[in-house]
């Protein structure tokens, strides 16, 4: 005996996730696709939800090479058959649901004086109300289960760091952080953990510009204000989600994890 507690051995920290199902919304590309891929890599069946049917088909085809995957084309901004009504049929033939990640959302850029009520309500509907519905659907399917079950909401650094022209977007993500905390408090007794990730500047194909592009110059200036002096990657976000879904965070709920390289410190 070396005195090491067996619970602290890191050999298979994600073994309990294998054989269960994870739902990821906004999963056809970018961070959402990488989150789904990462969860699949530890043995989970991945259900990808996205409104873009063509991109979704390509994502499902890609992940089908690595494990069990299913797709659901759905517009989460509406209720009824256009929303998540079809999720039950997709989950019916899969292992028990253990993870739900609300990643879908929209971005809005309007100065405060130009924000109109219709636009504000659209962003709240797409970013907050749709995620709330996702949380509720996850709860309905997880509450009778056993073992570790986790919901992760993707919010944003702009809740805590004011950036130009982000009023509607920041308000929607701040509301989602409140949803996270209240759901964590109310559902903890059922063994369901609810946390959120607050990403900072994340590099995607949409942020790859030529060196002489003005946007590239602005990007370099931004990176200079981040403590780690680099942009985040989709892997950084996916790995943080995996942590919050795994037994490594078994005593963490109602937490907003900032994954921003220290940008919030500037």
């Amino acid at each position: 005996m070396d005195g090491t507690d067996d619970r602290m051995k890191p050999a298979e920290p994600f073994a309990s996730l294998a054989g269960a199902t994870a739902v990821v919304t906004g999963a056809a590309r970018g961070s959402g696709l990488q989150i789904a891929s990462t969860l699949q890599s530890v043995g989970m069946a991945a259900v990808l939800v996205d409104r873009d049917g063509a991109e979704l088909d390509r994502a499902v085809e890609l992940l089908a090479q690595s494990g069990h995957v299913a797709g659901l084309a759905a517009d989460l901004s509406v209720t009824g058959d256009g929303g998540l009504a079809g999720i039950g049929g997709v989950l019916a033939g899969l292992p028990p649901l253990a993870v739900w990640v609300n990643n879908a959302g929209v971005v809005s850029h309007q100065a405060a004086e130009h924000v109109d009520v219709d636009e504000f309500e659209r962003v709240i509907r797409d970013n907050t109300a749709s995620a709330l519905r996702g949380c509720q659907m996850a709860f309905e399917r997880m509450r009778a289960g056993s073992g570790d079950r986790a919901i992760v909401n993707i919010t944003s650094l702009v809740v805590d760091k004011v950036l130009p022209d982000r009023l509607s977007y920041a308000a929607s993500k701040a509301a989602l952080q409140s949803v996270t905390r209240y759901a964590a408090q109310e559902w903890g007794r059922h063994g369901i953990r609810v946390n959120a990730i607050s990403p900072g500047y994340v590099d995607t194909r949409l942020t790859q510009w030529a060196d002489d592009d003005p946007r590239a110059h602005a990007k370099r200036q931004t990176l200079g204000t981040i403590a780690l002096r680099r942009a985040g990657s989709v892997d950084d976000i996916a790995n943080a989600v995996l942590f919050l879904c795994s037994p490594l965070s078994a005593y963490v709920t109602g937490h907003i994890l900032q994954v921003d390289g220290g940008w919030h410190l500037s």
Side-chain angles (χ1 to χ4, degrees):
M1 295 289 292
D2 62 4
T4 302
D5 189 330
D6 286 345
R7 292 173 300 174
M8 300 302 291
K9 292 181 178 179
E12 297 182 4
F14 311 118
S16 63
L17 296 176
T21 295
V23 171
V24 183
T25 71
R29 65 187 69 78
S31 295
L33 178 56
Q34 188 59 42
I35 290 167
S37 177
T38 298
L39 293 172
Q40 186 195 58
S41 74
V42 298
M44 302 196 79
V47 176
L48 282 58
V49 181
D50 203 281
R51 71 175 66 181
D52 189 329
E55 286 281 347
L56 179 65
D57 288 344
R58 284 189 281 271
V60 169
E61 182 179 359
L62 175 66
L63 294 196
Q65 302 172 27
S66 306
H68 199 138
V69 61
L72 174 65
D75 184 350
L76 305 186
S77 67
V78 299
T79 58
D81 291 341
L84 281 168
I87 195 68
V90 176
L91 294 175
L94 295 175
L97 180 66
V99 169
W100 187 295
V101 182
N102 286 306
N103 175 70
V106 298
V107 177
S108 176
H109 296 88
Q110 284 187 320
E113 66 270 23
H114 297 307
V115 172
D116 60 70
V117 173
D118 288 343
E119 169 67 3
F120 186 83
E121 290 179 344
R122 181 187 73 85
V123 177
I124 293 292
R125 183 179 64 249
D126 285 359
N127 290 351
T128 311
S130 65
L132 172 59
R133 285 198 295 274
C135 288
Q136 291 168 332
M137 296 191 107
F139 173 73
E140 291 168 6
R141 288 159 177 78
M142 290 177 175
R143 65 185 303 181
S146 60
D148 199 25
R149 288 145 290 153
I151 298 169
V152 179
N153 296 317
I154 307 300
T155 65
S156 174
L157 171 74
V158 299
V159 174
D160 303 298
K161 183 178 180 66
V162 177
L163 298 177
D165 304 335
R166 302 294 202 284
L167 186 153
S168 297
Y169 182 69
S172 71
K173 293 300 188 177
L176 184 52
Q177 291 190 3
S178 291
V179 169
T180 300
R181 294 188 179 101
Y182 274 80
Q185 169 64 21
E186 296 183 20
W187 298 345
R189 64 182 180 273
H190 299 284
I192 300 170
R193 298 184 298 106
V194 188
N195 293 289
I197 284 175
S198 175
Y201 193 107
V202 178
D203 250 341
T204 69
R205 64 184 182 182
L206 299 178
T207 60
Q208 304 303 310
W209 301 297
D211 286 343
D212 58 352
D213 191 304
R215 292 170 296 182
H217 175 68
K219 176 181 175 180
R220 288 191 293 271
Q221 287 186 315
T222 296
L223 298 186
T225 68
I226 297 173
L228 295 183
R229 295 299 191 270
R230 70 170 179 87
S233 69
V234 292
D235 282 316
D236 290 323
I237 305 305
N239 290 336
V241 170
L242 179 59
F243 166 70
L244 289 177
C245 295
S246 79
L248 295 177
S249 62
Y251 203 53
V252 178
T253 195
H255 182 67
I256 314 300
L257 177 62
Q258 289 177 308
V259 185
D260 64 2
W263 195 15
H264 68 279
L265 302 172
S266 65

